[in-house]
Amino acid sequence: MNRPATRAVAWTAFRLIVTLSLCLVGAVLLTAPEAKAAAFTPTPNPSVTAAPSPTPAGRLIFEQDNGLLRGAARASLITNIAARLLDFRLEVSFINPYDGDSTFWTYGIGFGVVENTAHVFLISADGTWSLVRSSSDGASTIHEGYLKRFDTARQSVHTIQIKVAGRSFQAWLDGQLIANLTLKESPARGSILVAGAASPQRGDQVIIRYRQLRVYDLEPHPTPTASPRPK
């Protein structure tokens, strides 16, 4: 038996199932997970011009110094951090929950989450990133790529930054631009989620820790004007 290939297929099935459930946020049941075990072949990272990490901009609307996702193994772990956003910037540092050579895990951010629509950006232990869109018509991968020199060791820390402005989507990992995409349509105005999952070989509980989470609203807000003084 080709153990690496077998493990790759198992990780592929788990990754796709988790991605779908994260996108749909429990709105539907996955009735045919066996159909999701097709071989996963990420496309190379798109050619992008090097760009610095985004500087603080916009109105800070949410911050959390330390947080965690806790729940059952092989299940989607989700926590809602902000609602009804359209254009935004987010930064967060995740701590790898397991050694990626032996245990599959994935973590990232869901955004534009409404009743039957969502986008999810994920970093995974197989050294890939993916941006997925889900709607009532199903889920589809918008883009995916390999991560260069990605440390999957347990307790390693990786900082994700994403910026969404209209149809523009950008993502940085540890200060390096890895995605610079123009989407076919703008994400919906909706909730933002921290999301993750893991499939440990032992134990039935998973904890994925994150820290230094900041969310900035990039939409313009009118400046209130003072009422004229009565004459």
Side-chain angles (χ1 to χ4, degrees):
M1 178 183 295
N2 187 335
R3 292 181 63 85
T6 302
R7 186 178 68 175
V9 170
W11 283 13
T12 296
F14 175 73
R15 173 186 174 277
L16 292 175
I17 292 170
V18 167
T19 300
L20 290 172
S21 59
L22 289 177
C23 289
L24 298 176
V25 197
V28 298
L29 295 176
L30 300 177
T31 57
E34 65 278 5
K36 305 302 179 184
F40 172 54
T41 54
T43 56
N45 285 327
S47 298
V48 295
T49 303
S53 299
T55 55
R59 182 169 60 97
L60 179 65
I61 62 169
F62 183 87
E63 59 181 333
Q64 185 179 16
D65 289 335
N66 294 283
L68 59 84
L69 300 168
R70 185 198 301 269
R74 294 169 291 279
S76 299
L77 312 178
I78 298 171
T79 183
N80 191 351
I81 57 174
R84 306 300 298 168
L85 279 181
L86 189 59
D87 295 346
F88 69 94
R89 188 177 67 81
L90 179 148
E91 58 189 39
V92 62
S93 295
F94 283 96
I95 302 171
N96 294 351
Y98 302 96
D99 183 355
D101 288 339
S102 60
T103 302
F104 184 85
W105 45 257
T106 187
Y107 49 63
I109 301 297
F111 58 95
V113 181
V114 293
E115 183 176 357
N116 60 358
T117 303
H119 284 73
V120 182
F121 176 74
L122 290 172
I123 299 292
S124 300
D126 56 0
T128 62
W129 65 266
S130 56
L131 177 63
V132 177
R133 181 183 184 278
S134 177
S135 70
S136 56
D137 296 327
S140 59
T141 300
I142 296 174
H143 218 296
E144 55 196 8
Y146 288 106
L147 301 170
K148 296 180 180 179
R149 296 181 294 275
F150 181 59
D151 187 358
T152 63
R154 183 176 181 271
Q155 298 298 310
S156 291
V157 180
H158 294 290
T159 299
I160 294 173
Q161 295 168 291
I162 64 174
K163 180 180 179 181
V164 177
R167 294 169 54 211
S168 172
F169 174 85
Q170 294 176 296
W172 291 257
L173 180 66
D174 299 330
Q176 297 296 315
L177 183 68
I178 61 172
N180 188 6
L181 309 174
T182 299
L183 308 179
K184 291 183 178 180
E185 57 185 276
S186 300
R189 180 186 297 277
S191 299
I192 297 178
L193 310 172
V194 176
S199 182
Q201 297 177 358
R202 297 181 180 179
D204 57 1
Q205 287 290 308
V206 167
I207 295 178
I208 300 176
R209 301 183 186 277
Y210 59 90
R211 64 194 188 195
Q212 298 175 340
L213 172 62
R214 306 289 185 270
V215 182
Y216 298 85
D217 185 357
L218 299 182
E219 294 185 61
H221 294 272
T223 302
T225 57
S227 302
R229 294 181 178 179
K231 296 181 180 180

